Amino acid sequence: ADFLISFASPDREENNRILHELKTGVCYNGSVRPVTFCTDKSLGMGLHIDEGQEMRRWNPIFSDLDQPRQPGEYPPWFKHYKKAAEETRHGLLILQLTDSYLQSKACRWEFGYVRKPELVHLYVPSDGKSPGRIVKWDELMEDAELCKQLFGEFLEQEFQGNGDAEDLCTMQG
């Protein structure tokens, strides 16, 4: 797979739209092409609730995920998740870096503890004129306009005049 997908959005329709777009073609590394992906669920390590039913992990490789961890250790599920991200062609792809995403403890782990910015990518929605695209985290931190495009509404709500969005974006890297 090209990417391990990371997302936490209650909007199933939008998630499905983005996943369909990834399968049909997005701009990445200078060309428009389909990208392949996997998820914690498709790998068999994800524990999900679907229509009120708990969907268990199906892959026996991940039978240790609920084991307790020692203080200071990464949880077993995260060790597997990070390894899976490293084994893809390009790393982790965050579909929507939103408030919902950052409120999810698991997503904060996925985003914050990979510790390899070169493995972190973000999906940038289509502007209506061109297809959506995938950008590397480092690329986002170098491009204030792109940063404003992705986070502008959030920055305006959060900081309401307490700083210029461009300055805030460039300081994150």
Side-chain angles (χ1 to χ4, degrees), residues 33-50:
R33 66 177 182 88
V35 296
T36 58
F37 54 86
C38 56
T39 64
D40 59 346
K41 186 176 179 181
S42 72
L43 294 173
M45 75 171 85
L47 180 65
H48 295 269
I49 307 297
D50 190 18

Side-chain angles (χ1 to χ4, degrees), residues 14-150:
E14 179 62 7
N15 290 335
N16 288 339
R17 186 199 66 73
I18 295 169
L19 294 174
H20 177 74
E21 186 175 358
L22 294 176
K23 291 178 187 177
T24 57
V26 293
C27 185
Y28 180 63
N29 277 345
S31 66
V32 176
R33 66 177 182 88
V35 296
T36 58
F37 54 86
C38 56
T39 64
D40 59 346
K41 186 176 179 181
S42 72
L43 294 173
M45 75 171 85
L47 180 65
H48 295 269
I49 307 297
D50 190 18
E51 296 182 22
Q53 296 288 332
E54 185 176 294
M55 310 298 286
R56 299 298 306 167
R57 297 178 180 107
W58 56 266
N59 192 330
I61 293 171
F62 306 117
S63 62
D64 67 337
L65 295 186
D66 294 321
Q67 298 297 316
R69 64 182 169 119
Q70 297 300 313
E73 275 187 339
Y74 287 130
W77 74 266
F78 181 74
K79 292 176 190 176
H80 288 289
Y81 192 90
K82 183 176 180 183
K83 183 174 187 270
E86 291 169 343
E87 289 176 350
T88 64
R89 285 182 200 88
H90 305 291
L92 184 69
L93 174 58
I94 300 170
L95 292 190
Q96 299 178 69
L97 188 57
T98 61
D99 192 44
S100 295
Y101 183 88
L102 295 172
Q103 287 181 22
S104 162
K105 185 176 184 178
C107 290
R108 288 192 311 267
W109 271 88
E110 294 165 12
F111 174 63
Y113 288 103
V114 169
R115 303 276 187 212
K116 292 184 177 180
E118 67 273 13
L119 290 179
V120 178
H121 301 75
L122 286 101
Y123 168 79
V124 180
S126 167
D127 61 6
K129 299 177 221 157
S130 56
R133 63 184 173 139
I134 296 171
V135 297
K136 297 173 184 174
W137 181 256
D138 290 340
E139 182 182 344
L140 176 65
M141 293 299 97
E142 298 285 323
D143 187 336
E145 288 303 313
L146 181 58
C147 191
K148 282 195 276 188
Q149 179 184 345
L150 279 173

